[in-house]
Amino acid sequence: MTSGPRGSWSEWPVDHFLRTGSIAARDGAAVRWFHAANSRARAAEAARSDVHMVEVDVLLRGGHGDPILAHPPDTDSDITLQEWLAQMGSTDKGIKLDFKSLAAVGPSLELLGQLEQPLAGPVWLNGDILPGPRGSCAPLDARAFLGAVTSSCPGATLSLGWTTACHRGQGYQWPMVQEMSQLCQPLSQPVTFAVRAALLPSCIPQLQWLLQQSHRYSLTVWAGKEDVYSVEDLLLIRENFDKSRVYYDIFEPQNSEFKKAIGIEC
């Protein structure tokens, strides 16, 4: 963990928000997320909400301009990353930057380093760096992404994932998790692995093994809006992993149904 005002950047959300009194137990499911705050209106909504972590997608305007908040195929936005970071600096929330292009990483990390008002909560930097189940999009270059983040922003938490497609069935296979483990072994920063909810029931042993490789690792369960998965799938994850090491960034109605099933208020 870094010292000074940025010490919380690499602090696990369960520890940070338990310490600040925002959650009642060391349980990743208690951490509330705001997904895709990629516009001025969404950013304002996130800032005034009671969520703990806010996620945005980052790319360069038009492919070569300033870092903005947009998800492909969009290439423009009404808010820049710089404007959004300033807005988040006035809150107590943690952030997750999901990089959609390698070109956006360097300029974005530079903006993080120039913040006049340091962010008070955890800072996660996400990239899909390996091909995953039926992944058709090219992943970010793993070594380039890791090199940029570890050199420019060593106090942040790494959020690393695989490119995937929307389907049920075969999940993360042994070669996929083994390659990820090899890439992460030399790192000293905390790492959360972004894993798709619909793929998890078939690969519990592989992900259990991955988390066993280091106490620095956790999982973040995410879902696409059109993904098909059940509360039972989420409960299976809950039953097979340490609850303090799994976060859930998922959509409604599964989010509310899942939290009701495990006795957590939304």
Side-chain angles (χ1 to χ4, degrees):
M1 183 182 297
T2 57
S3 60
R6 295 179 182 173
S8 59
W9 285 21
S10 61
E11 190 175 19
W12 286 122
V14 287
D15 295 319
H16 176 79
F17 294 112
L18 183 63
R19 178 172 58 80
T20 60
S22 299
I23 60 176
R26 197 167 183 269
D27 186 343
V31 176
R32 295 186 294 273
W33 289 79
F34 193 102
H35 194 79
N38 295 337
S39 67
R40 290 186 185 277
R42 294 275 294 170
E45 182 184 351
R48 63 176 177 262
S49 73
D50 64 354
V51 302
H52 303 105
M53 297 287 294
V54 183
E55 185 264 1
V56 293
D57 302 296
V58 184
L59 45 75
L60 297 183
R61 173 170 281 137
H64 49 75
D66 293 331
I68 59 168
L69 308 184
H71 190 288
D74 294 337
T75 59
D76 204 352
S77 175
D78 66 354
I79 186 169
T80 66
L81 176 62
Q82 185 173 23
E83 292 168 334
W84 183 77
L85 288 173
Q87 185 174 19
M88 287 298 107
S90 64
T91 75
D92 58 357
K93 303 184 189 311
I95 67 167
K96 176 180 176 179
L97 305 183
D98 187 353
F99 292 103
K100 297 306 182 183
S101 76
L102 188 62
V105 175
S108 300
L109 299 183
E110 189 173 336
L111 291 173
L112 271 175
Q114 295 171 350
L115 285 177
E116 295 181 3
Q117 185 173 2
L119 298 162
V123 173
W124 287 16
L125 305 175
N126 183 83
D128 291 339
I129 61 171
L130 289 176
R134 298 190 186 180
S136 57
C137 297
L140 302 184
D141 182 277
R143 299 197 184 281
F145 179 78
L146 294 175
V149 172
T150 54
S151 61
S152 299
C153 207
T157 294
L158 287 160
S159 173
L160 305 177
W162 297 257
T163 59
T164 59
C166 179
H167 75 285
R168 284 184 68 87
Q170 192 175 60
Y172 302 93
Q173 300 302 296
W174 283 110
M176 297 174 186
V177 298
Q178 289 165 346
E179 186 175 6
M180 185 68 83
S181 176
Q182 290 170 358
L183 285 170
C184 295
Q185 192 276 330
L187 304 175
S188 59
Q189 293 166 247
V191 180
T192 190
F193 300 108
V195 291
R196 198 165 189 160
L199 304 178
L200 300 189
S202 64
C203 56
I204 296 293
Q206 289 90 332
L207 296 175
Q208 287 176 325
W209 175 86
L210 186 58
L211 288 199
Q212 289 167 3
Q213 304 312 300
S214 175
H215 68 279
R216 295 182 294 108
Y217 297 166
S218 73
L219 297 178
T220 299
V221 179
W222 65 276
K225 281 189 176 181
E226 307 303 321
D227 286 7
V228 177
Y229 62 101
S230 67
V231 172
E232 287 70 28
D233 293 336
L234 299 174
L235 292 174
L236 181 66
I237 300 164
R238 178 87 169 174
E239 293 164 3
N240 282 280
F241 293 92
D242 180 340
K243 66 182 182 181
S244 71
R245 298 178 72 184
V246 184
Y247 299 90
Y248 301 85
D249 178 11
I250 55 177
F251 290 100
E252 298 296 345
Q254 289 94 335
N255 180 57
S256 295
E257 293 171 354
F258 170 59
K259 290 189 174 180
K260 180 179 179 181
I262 61 176
I264 290 180
E265 291 185 10
C266 293

